[in-house]
Amino acid sequence: TGKTARILVEIAQTNGELGFLSSEDHPQYGLTKKEVAKSRNRELGELFQSGFGIHHAGMLRSDRNLTEQMFSSGLIKVLVCTATLAWGINLPAHTVVIKGTQLYDPKAGGWRELGMLDVMQIFGRAGRPQFDKSGEGIIITTHDKLAYYLRLLTHQLPIESQFISSLKDNLNAEVVLGTVTNLKEASIWLGYTYLFVRMPSNPLAYGMTWKEVAMDPSLTTKRKALLIDAARALDKAKMLRFDEKSGNLYATSLGRVASHFYIQYRSVETYNEMLKCHMNDSELINLVAQSSEFENIMVREEEQHELENL
């Protein structure tokens, strides 16, 4: 993110266009300059003088808030950020540029193309009606993917539910809260989800056939099968107790801890498998590092040297 911003500053400087991005005539420029000077992030100050800003998860919360305020008030004209900014923060712009469409997917163990819903969400920041009369969305991708994105942009894609992948964690949370105590209640609860809305509309995406939907429109059998599988897995991981005869679900101490501290089922499974009575510091760090919560954390280029020293 920082590297991209520095290169853009160099290009603007070479072309003699840096003056267009200056905000020195802004009434809040002097006050904001003092605020930026207080930040320990040197890069933030250097880029601010050129009318540029950066925003990513590696920055301090105070620095990110300051960057957001500067961009929304027009003190910085160009903001180089990660895709997460478009999802979580309402920060409108006139032009949005997506630089590259490949994202690293830790689950797949490689790179994948940016989904159309992500593209539309990011482009949604450009030209907001209450802020601007028009907006521009620019996507920079490889030539072989150009036709793919043009085709997707002209068709509306249905949003499918991803709830099955996190059903175990959500079921455990409901059991811990006491809102679900047996399979019957769990089935009613599942009926309130978006998964239940989408399954009859596109059953093939959820491992069902059209015939199954026709025979069981309320999806009672499918809901019960999904919940029994989830309950059995949670019972095996000792996160809850599942009485198959009565269908009752009972919370356990491990399940409560997992729910209260947002520990995923897959992490608990790993702990059950690897945790021993006597472990040294190295083994404990290795155990924690195996947690599924860390799978999206990538090693940054600037961290390589420090990691090698460690």
Side-chain angles (χ1 to χ4, degrees), residues 22-306:
S22 176
S23 302
E24 289 183 12
D25 57 343
H26 196 285
Q28 295 177 1
Y29 181 81
L31 190 66
T32 307
K33 192 176 180 181
K34 289 177 184 176
E35 285 293 315
V36 171
K38 291 176 186 176
S39 172
R40 287 183 290 177
N41 191 333
R42 288 182 184 177
E43 202 170 35
L44 201 69
E46 290 168 9
L47 292 168
F48 171 70
Q49 290 173 12
S50 305
F52 281 75
I54 53 170
H55 192 291
H56 56 80
M59 292 167 65
L60 293 171
R61 168 55 65 186
S62 56
D63 288 340
R64 277 182 282 167
N65 289 341
L66 179 62
T67 302
E68 288 161 26
Q69 287 167 17
M70 289 192 296
F71 185 72
S72 59
S73 60
L75 281 155
I76 51 177
K77 301 290 195 298
V78 181
L79 181 60
V80 182
C81 61
T82 50
T84 48
L85 183 74
W87 281 108
I89 301 160
N90 183 19
L91 214 59
H94 176 73
T95 304
V96 175
V97 181
I98 297 174
K99 185 184 79 76
T101 55
Q102 285 197 323
L103 287 175
Y104 183 76
D105 187 354
K107 290 177 183 175
W111 298 88
R112 66 169 178 85
E113 287 297 317
L114 192 67
M116 198 59 238
L117 294 170
D118 293 304
V119 172
M120 296 304 289
Q121 179 73 17
I122 294 166
F123 277 176
R125 295 282 171 260
R128 285 294 181 87
Q130 65 267 43
F131 300 105
D132 222 329
K133 291 178 181 177
S134 63
E136 292 180 17
I138 301 166
I139 187 165
I140 302 170
T141 186
T142 53
H143 196 270
D144 58 319
K145 293 292 177 186
L146 187 62
Y148 166 76
Y149 282 105
L150 285 171
R151 191 169 66 250
L152 288 177
L153 277 165
T154 55
H155 293 84
Q156 192 174 0
L157 296 174
I159 300 170
E160 297 299 347
S161 171
Q162 304 298 315
F163 193 64
I164 291 175
S165 60
S166 58
L167 180 59
K168 298 180 187 73
D169 294 314
N170 284 280
L171 178 61
N172 178 58
E174 294 297 329
V175 172
V176 169
L177 283 169
T179 51
V180 168
T181 59
N182 54 53
L183 282 180
K184 188 180 177 181
E185 290 176 356
S187 185
I188 295 166
W189 161 73
L190 202 59
Y192 292 121
T193 63
Y194 184 62
L195 171 68
F196 180 69
V197 174
R198 286 304 303 165
M199 279 199 293
S201 305
N202 190 11
L204 299 175
Y206 304 97
M208 296 172 68
T209 62
W210 288 104
K211 189 179 177 181
E212 284 179 88
V213 176
M215 290 174 68
D216 185 15
S218 62
L219 303 176
T220 306
T221 308
K222 180 65 177 177
R223 278 190 280 170
K224 190 177 179 182
L226 286 170
L227 290 163
I228 287 172
D229 287 345
R232 282 173 178 166
L234 289 166
D235 183 82
K236 190 179 178 183
K238 298 173 186 175
M239 290 173 74
L240 58 75
R241 283 285 164 257
F242 174 41
D243 185 347
E244 295 209 26
K245 287 182 180 178
S246 64
N248 289 338
L249 301 164
Y250 307 98
T252 64
S253 298
L254 182 59
R256 288 189 186 94
V257 169
S259 177
H260 291 157
F261 293 99
Y262 301 99
I263 301 169
Q264 294 176 8
Y265 157 77
R266 286 190 293 130
S267 293
V268 175
E269 225 181 5
T270 303
Y271 302 155
N272 286 339
E273 189 181 323
M274 296 178 65
L275 201 62
K276 294 180 287 187
C277 293
H278 303 286
M279 297 177 78
N280 58 38
D281 291 349
S282 177
E283 287 172 329
L284 279 170
I285 291 167
N286 179 52
L287 171 68
V288 174
Q290 300 296 324
S291 302
S292 59
E293 287 80 3
F294 293 122
E295 64 184 12
N296 291 318
I297 296 175
M298 288 177 63
V299 178
R300 295 187 177 92
E301 192 179 331
E302 59 268 24
E303 294 171 344
Q304 292 283 4
H305 181 67
E306 192 176 340

